[in-house]
Amino acid sequence: MRNRLLSYVVFGMVGAVFATQSMAGKVLSADTTAPGGSSGVTILNLAEVASENDIADIQVNTGQTLTNSLQKMVEGNLDITPGPFVLAFFMKNGLGPYSKLGKQQGSELIANARVLFTYRLGLFTLYAYDSSPVKGWDTIGGNRILNGPPRGGGALSNARTIISKVTGLEDGKGYTGVQMSWGQMAQGITDGAVDAALLPIALWSHDVTVPLSSGSMTAWSVPKSTFDSESFNKIFKIGLNPVTIPMSDITKTKGLTVYSEDDTFRVAAATGGVMVHKDMDFDTAKALTAAKIASFEKLYQKAPFMKFGGFGDMNPVSNGMCGTNPVPYHPGAVAAWEQAGYTVPECAKP
């Protein structure tokens, strides 16, 4: 029988509500993005393990915009949401999609957020059909690049920043940025609405595998000289972190060429966390975190691309905690991580 997680991923519909079956009696609400991406799989897996361990019934709304979900959660209208840490920074400072809140209200609201565990929402990867005029970073100029969803949240801001740092080009000037909702992206690439995409993907999730059914593609590593430069490393401060992966570890996929100038694939990762309200009780936060920690290997077996998700990474340089990220761990989560043998940095504790 097909496991529940993959059933959710394959058959989940945008906007649908999934309810796990649990005897615990506690009901929690959660938002996430489309079922097939890192955030979708992460939350649906959390709902699954919460059910299996009789912790709670987690009702999951998929196809949501995390910019909105984070605000719902800190306002007390949602229990659990995944979210890029750049959104937490924006909210605290009343910037970007939270500019209407202002700095004071935004700072007060984000103080309600706590992290259960961190993960990589995606690895910002440039990829295109082999028939496209885009043949790598140096040919982005003049072409249509899918760089995120319509609302100016973390993904779009980060993609624009990365392209600017690598190529010197700005959206609307050196190239034409194209925005689509998450659920439309794979089909938009397939239909030829764009020449290439720079998206926070998993290696390799449906954002790549769906378009591959219509033709061969190539994905490019960030050039080493750029990745190591002082200018590029300035982006690794607000919700973006450097990730290097041995080429030998990257899953070989039929029809997909993965290019790097050497034996290392270099990308900027969008880092974030599964966040809850600070008022979630200690025992529930601890139990949810402990169940997730125990599920890592099982998750990788069900969804192999999640092995690049950064689960269990406690290094604040690569997991996005501390620094400009204003959201610490929940006390219950700290207890779960330490009980599992992990060291939680002091800067990440509440």
Side-chain angles (χ1 to χ4, degrees):
M1 180 179 294
R2 184 174 294 179
N3 62 69
R4 277 179 292 168
L5 173 62
L6 290 185
S7 295
Y8 290 157
V9 172
V10 175
F11 297 112
M13 295 178 64
V14 172
V17 177
F18 296 96
T20 66
Q21 296 180 348
S22 168
M23 299 191 309
K26 183 184 292 290
V27 178
L28 300 174
S29 59
D31 276 3
T32 194
T33 54
S38 296
S39 294
V41 173
T42 295
I43 294 298
L44 291 170
N45 174 248
L46 180 63
E48 184 177 18
V49 299
S51 172
E52 291 174 346
N53 291 275
D54 290 332
I55 300 167
D57 293 336
I58 301 180
Q59 298 179 342
V60 183
N61 291 295
T62 66
Q64 303 303 298
T65 301
L66 299 184
T67 303
N68 299 331
S69 299
L70 178 60
Q71 186 167 342
K72 285 166 56 181
M73 189 275 292
V74 296
E75 289 176 341
N77 298 315
L78 184 72
D79 294 308
I80 304 169
T81 184
F85 289 141
V86 66
L87 289 182
F89 173 84
F90 283 165
M91 182 177 287
K92 180 181 179 181
N93 292 280
L95 299 173
Y98 304 114
S99 58
K100 290 183 178 180
L101 291 177
K103 186 172 183 179
Q104 180 175 343
Q105 185 179 6
S107 181
E108 292 173 355
L109 285 174
I110 200 61
N112 291 328
R114 296 293 183 270
V115 173
L116 296 183
F117 56 89
T118 64
Y119 74 107
R120 296 170 189 156
L121 286 83
L123 307 175
F124 277 91
T125 306
L126 177 67
Y127 59 103
Y129 282 117
D130 291 346
S131 58
S132 167
V134 175
K135 304 298 181 183
W137 292 93
D138 58 351
T139 55
I140 284 177
N143 288 302
R144 300 165 300 165
I145 310 299
L146 175 58
N147 57 1
R151 192 175 179 189
L156 179 59
S157 298
N158 285 335
R160 285 171 168 165
T161 297
I162 292 167
I163 292 176
S164 175
K165 290 294 184 180
V166 176
T167 69
L169 302 176
E170 301 295 331
D171 189 345
K173 297 179 181 179
Y175 69 96
T176 300
V178 178
Q179 291 82 51
M180 300 178 186
S181 66
W182 292 112
Q184 296 175 328
M185 289 180 180
Q187 191 59 49
I189 297 169
T190 302
D191 292 343
V194 296
D195 300 306
L198 178 67
L199 298 173
I201 62 171
L203 306 181
W204 303 98
S205 56
H206 73 293
D207 301 298
V208 175
T209 57
V210 170
L212 268 176
S213 64
S214 297
S216 297
M217 306 184 81
T218 297
W220 292 273
S221 168
V222 173
K224 184 178 186 302
S225 59
T226 300
F227 193 81
D228 293 339
S229 69
E230 181 179 351
S231 174
F232 192 76
N233 274 263
K234 289 180 180 179
I235 72 173
F236 298 135
K237 292 182 179 180
I238 307 173
L240 280 176
N241 298 81
V243 173
T244 56
I245 302 171
M247 289 286 284
S248 58
D249 287 353
I250 296 178
T251 304
K252 291 181 172 58
T253 302
K254 184 177 180 180
L256 178 66
T257 300
V258 183
Y259 175 79
S260 175
E261 63 210 81
D262 56 16
D263 59 0
T264 300
F265 195 74
R266 299 171 178 84
V267 286
T271 55
V274 169
M275 292 181 265
V276 299
H277 197 280
K278 66 179 177 61
D279 291 338
M280 175 177 279
D281 67 272
F282 179 93
D283 290 341
T284 298
K286 181 180 178 182
L288 288 172
T289 306
K292 184 67 178 182
I293 294 170
S295 76
F296 289 158
E297 290 304 320
K298 187 177 180 181
L299 173 61
Y300 303 153
Q301 292 173 10
K302 294 177 178 180
F305 65 82
M306 295 299 287
K307 69 181 180 180
F308 298 115
F311 296 105
D313 180 5
M314 281 289 154
N315 184 346
V317 173
S318 54
N319 74 5
M321 295 296 288
C322 308
T324 58
N325 172 26
V327 186
Y329 285 106
H330 190 286
V334 173
W337 282 109
E338 292 182 340
Q339 186 171 308
Y342 292 81
T343 299
V344 179
E346 289 298 321
C347 64
K349 292 182 179 180

